[in-house]
Amino acid sequence: MSDHDLPLDFGDPAGLEALRAELRAWLADHPLPERRAGEAPAEFLHRWHRLLHSGGWVGLDVPEEYGGRGLTALHQVTVSDELGACRAPGVPRIGYLAHALLEFASQGQRTRLLPRMLAGDDVWCQGFSEPGAGSDLAGMSTHARRSEDDGHYIVNGQKLWTSYAQYSDYCLLLARTEREAPAHASITAFALPVDRAGVTVRPLKAANGDDEFCELFLDDVRIEASERIGAEGDGWRLAMTTVNYERNALDTGHLSKYGLLLEHLRQELRGCRTELPDGIVSAVGQCVVDYQVLVAHARRRTAERLAGQTAGPESSVDKLLMTRAEQRLYETALRVLPDELVRDGGTVYGEYLYSRAASVYGGTSQIQRNIIAKRLLRLPSASRTS
Ligand SMILES: Cc1cc2nc3c(=O)[nH]c(=O)nc-3n(C[C@H](O)[C@H](O)[C@H](O)COP(=O)(O)OP(=O)(O)OC[C@H]3O[C@@H](n4cnc5c(N)ncnc54)[C@H](O)[C@@H]3O)c2cc1C
């Protein structure tokens, strides 16, 4: 596969080739930025996000009235794919939050929040998980009590693993507004300004050295009723919409990135002058199979989105296929690529470490299998069969 043999080739149903050419021309005039000395990864990605937005390359499938380009999901996927193929630093990971706002926020909130989110003027984080509520998100204990007088909320609780909260302006926060009611009716979403009195952000260091994770403490935080997203009790549906968009391989440029890494492995093996390590050829073969399955699946899912299907429980299949392809690929890369890339501190080693998290973020692989069993196959739950 060459750099130009992109995995998601849909022909040219809606000017996609012109869009790719437009992006390539823009990239030729705007060389990929380098990370500056002392610049945190999140700050670097934010700078890149703003540069992309200045060229019109963020939010292609978001309506123009909310700051996007009013094109289709396929245009967004094509841009992400092309960016991955040119080894861009990353595709801004905001599509899933934008979709949640598009579906649940009021017209006024969409107009106020979305253009700034797309432009990178406001950075957003996702405040869902808690120390006792990750897979069992419904068990969250962060609580929003509504005041009797003007209807504002007072929020208390703790969030955990909130990615890049320390760089964020807003948190899409979930809190329980009814203590006793079942989860699907008692959780409410808010757009919380992170600098609000009573919010404390404490960053945690991850194994790859990044400062992605944060704890978020909420002590008597006042949130206005106008900052609620959707109706009271809509939070569970909003959360499921968000994670369903998050669990896909399409908007992230990952497919091109995997394709390029596979090609790198192939070239390394072909140029190898010593005896190949045991089992390495079949390991790479398996990576090719994983990759091809993922690409075929992604093509089908893109076609479904074009036909107007919104993200649902099928995205658990996307997430599992993506996790398997990514983890096997990086495990194999560690055995094949030169030391300077895969030793501690090497770029591929850093990516390998992050690939380990793929089976956890956005919901663990076990949870994806549970969703497939229950929601797609409609199997009875384990407790009913035991
Ligand atoms: C890189 C990264 C970024 C993240 N970013 C964010 C973020 O920005 N915002 C946010 O809110 N969260 C974020 N998370 C948190 C993530 O959503 C949770 O880690 C994930 O949902 C798992 O929850 P947990 O860590 O509490 O594990 P637990 O839920 O405690 O699970 C522990 C283990 O038990 C298994 N398990 C639990 N329940 C079941 C079950 N019913 N059946 C079978 N197995 C089960 C799990 O699969 C897992 O192996 C991030 C996580 C990572 C790794």
Side-chain angles (χ1 to χ4, degrees), residues 281-302:
V281 171
S282 69
V284 173
Q286 187 58 56
C287 291
V288 172
V289 173
D290 291 344
Y291 174 73
Q292 293 297 347
V293 169
L294 183 63
V295 166
H297 181 74
R299 281 212 179 105
R300 189 168 64 81
R301 301 281 285 135
T302 306

Side-chain angles (χ1 to χ4, degrees), residues 339-385:
D339 270 3
E340 63 272 19
L341 292 175
V342 298
R343 269 197 315 253
D344 197 0
T347 49
V348 175
Y349 186 67
E351 289 171 6
Y352 159 77
L353 284 179
Y354 203 80
S355 76
R356 307 317 299 165
S359 43
V360 179
Y361 59 68
T364 68
S365 291
Q366 290 84 352
I367 294 304
Q368 305 316 314
R369 289 188 197 104
N370 284 352
I371 293 171
I372 291 167
K374 281 189 201 157
R375 306 275 311 277
L376 298 181
L377 300 177
R378 308 224 175 262
L379 298 179
S381 65
S383 55
R384 281 172 54 198
T385 52

